[in-house]
Amino acid sequence: MSNDDLKSLVRTIPDYPHAGILFRDITTLLLDGPGFASCISRMAASLAARPDIVAGIEARGFIFGAALARELGVGLVLLRKKNKLPGRVTGVNYALEYGTDRIEMHADAVQPGQRVTLVDDLIATGGTALAGVELLRGAGALVTEAAFAIDLHDLGGAERLKAAGVEPRSLIAFDGA
Ligand code: AMP
């Protein structure tokens, strides 16, 4: 199925947050009720299997993750930036273009053997998603699929996920540069 209708709802903002970056802004997609609803039902349909639970990555992954969890009738685990969660956490550090970042989840959020689908708005280099996979697998979760609205396909994130044993599902492809 062509998702050009959804692609046309994503706004491109040049030179944000840095010169040379084409920022793919999903806020315009969210503003369109039928478009957002259709995006979520197509993300659900792209999955090979219904997971036990969905994991959303802060912050835009919460939006798509929550809606997808609702669509699938499953729960949602939040993968948050460091020091945001109140309970006991487990975390993973990962490299950014400059420096490092850390994502955390509640240590008791996921049970060993649970099938978890990771969700974010967009995959670029795949660093964020791979950190999420490492975090979930560290808790014993089975992660074999990850869902994104957008893939910046020439940045290689989807291939990195596949190499890690996670099938990337995405609706819209953009050039990364
Ligand atoms: P990466 O870890 O390189 O796959 O980057 C993915 C994360 O960065 C996602 O959470 C995206 O929301 C964000 N991101 C990276 N590049 C862009 C871009 N060009 N436009 C919008 N968001 C982006």
Side-chain angles (χ1 to χ4, degrees), residues 66-173:
L68 186 62
R70 173 65 185 79
E71 179 90 4
L72 297 170
V74 302
L76 175 70
V77 53
L78 304 183
L79 308 189
R80 296 214 61 179
K81 305 230 164 99
K82 62 172 175 261
N83 299 328
K84 298 283 189 186
L85 288 166
R88 193 168 64 82
V89 300
T90 172
V92 162
N93 297 320
Y94 63 102
L96 296 175
E97 195 178 351
Y98 304 106
T100 61
D101 213 340
R102 180 175 174 82
I103 51 169
E104 297 178 339
M105 69 175 182
H106 275 141
D108 59 357
V110 168
Q111 308 312 312
Q114 261 192 323
R115 293 171 304 123
V116 184
T117 294
L118 188 73
V119 180
D120 204 353
D121 66 327
L122 176 151
I123 182 166
T125 66
T128 309
L130 282 167
V133 170
E134 187 182 338
L135 183 56
L136 292 161
R137 285 182 173 165
L142 306 176
V143 189
T144 57
E145 283 192 282
F148 308 90
I150 299 168
D151 177 16
L152 304 189
H153 59 98
D154 49 352
L155 296 186
E159 280 66 36
R160 280 187 200 107
L161 271 185
K162 272 188 211 165
V166 180
E167 278 303 315
R169 314 290 183 196
S170 60
L171 303 179
I172 303 164

